[in-house]
């Protein structure tokens, strides 16, 4: 009987040690829990609305927390088969939207928010810095639908290199009839 008690005790100690390791290591069972944990760690939220915006090239699942005055993006990466972990390499911070419309490029995505109530789509004009010419040059215009909450996002084309040389020059808001209702230079 003494041997059975020792085995049960050791199994319980191993399980508690494993749980403590996972808890301290920031491992979670769902990517949504990773998002909520990152919110608390960054002193944000809780977000009024949470949306999944896509997957990065390294299998990180990206979520956005939308608030009244802006939004923030959190990435969760699969780890050890069934767990998810917060990735600081993709943390870009809080994006305040104090003007009517703002957009940013975050590695693989164009993300933004508009406060134009009639906007149903936006056109983001993306530019790249050409050091040999010492000037900005337009790379493309991306048409993105706007959600009911004013948030918009889109994965960038694969031919756009992931460098810091890109930025959104202006955001053109359009209504349901396709008419331009606002142009926001950044």
């Amino acid at each position: 009987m003494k041997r059975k008690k020792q085995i049960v005790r050791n199994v319980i100690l191993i399980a508690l040690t494993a749980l403590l390791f996972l808890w301290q290591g920031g491992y979670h069972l769902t990517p949504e829990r990773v998002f909520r944990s990152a919110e608390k760690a960054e002193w944000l939220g809780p977000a009024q609305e949470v949306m999944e915006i896509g997957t990065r090239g390294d299998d990180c699942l990206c979520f956005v927390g939308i608030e009244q005055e802006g939004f923030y993006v959190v990435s969760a990466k699969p780890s050890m088969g069934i767990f998810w972990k917060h990735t600081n390499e993709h943390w870009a911070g809080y994006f305040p939207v104090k003007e009517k419309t703002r957009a940013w490029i975050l590695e693989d995505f164009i993300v933004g928010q508009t406060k134009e109530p009639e906007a149903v789509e936006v056109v983001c004009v993306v530019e790249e810095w050409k050091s040999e010419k010492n000037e900005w040059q337009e790379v493309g215009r991306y048409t993105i639908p706007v959600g009911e909450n004013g948030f918009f996002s889109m994965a960038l084309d694969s031919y756009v290199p992931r460098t810091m040389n890109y930025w959104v020059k202006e955001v053109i808001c359009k209504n349901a009839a396709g008419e331009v209702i606002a142009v926001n230079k950044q």
Side-chain angles (χ1 to χ4, degrees):
M1 189 66 164
K2 185 177 181 182
R3 182 82 170 150
K4 287 183 183 180
K5 286 182 182 179
Q6 288 176 340
I7 291 173
V8 169
R9 181 196 67 196
N10 291 343
V11 167
I12 290 172
L13 285 174
I14 290 171
L16 288 174
T17 304
L19 286 174
L20 183 63
F21 166 76
L22 293 173
W23 178 64
Q24 290 291 353
Y27 294 95
H28 300 277
L29 291 174
T30 65
E32 292 83 9
R33 288 298 311 146
V34 172
F35 178 84
R36 293 299 179 192
S37 175
E39 260 185 340
K40 289 178 185 176
E42 299 294 337
W43 294 78
L44 296 168
Q48 297 169 351
E49 186 174 353
V50 178
M51 293 173 34
E52 180 182 324
I53 60 172
T55 305
R56 296 185 188 276
D58 58 352
D59 294 331
C60 285
L61 193 57
C62 297
F63 290 90
V64 65
I66 301 169
E67 294 185 339
Q68 201 70 352
E69 297 297 320
F71 62 93
Y72 47 94
V73 179
V74 174
S75 298
K77 188 172 189 169
S79 181
M80 294 195 298
I82 62 169
F83 297 106
W84 293 84
K85 187 168 175 67
H86 175 59
T87 57
N88 281 332
E89 66 260 19
H90 295 305
W91 174 255
Y94 183 77
F95 300 95
V97 181
K98 296 183 179 168
E99 298 89 21
K100 286 287 190 176
T101 305
R102 287 289 307 222
W104 292 268
I105 294 181
L106 301 178
E107 297 175 30
D108 303 347
F109 299 101
I110 296 175
V111 293
Q113 193 172 18
T114 182
K115 295 183 181 177
E116 297 285 346
E118 294 122 26
V120 295
E121 73 178 18
V122 295
V123 177
C124 293
V125 180
V126 176
E127 287 189 334
E128 173 187 18
W129 178 253
K130 296 289 189 179
S131 57
E132 62 274 357
K133 294 180 181 179
N134 202 24
E135 66 180 23
W136 290 96
Q137 183 178 10
E138 186 174 316
V139 174
R141 293 176 177 255
Y142 297 90
T143 303
I144 308 170
V146 176
E148 292 177 10
N149 54 12
F151 181 79
F152 55 90
S153 69
M154 174 184 185
L156 282 172
D157 297 337
S158 59
Y159 69 87
V160 177
R162 306 304 181 242
T163 66
M164 299 302 288
N165 296 337
Y166 290 88
W167 76 298
V168 179
K169 176 187 175 186
E170 67 182 2
V171 182
I172 304 165
C173 299
K174 295 184 178 182
N175 62 12
E179 301 166 340
V180 175
I181 55 175
V183 176
N184 297 287
K185 304 229 185 245
Q186 305 200 107

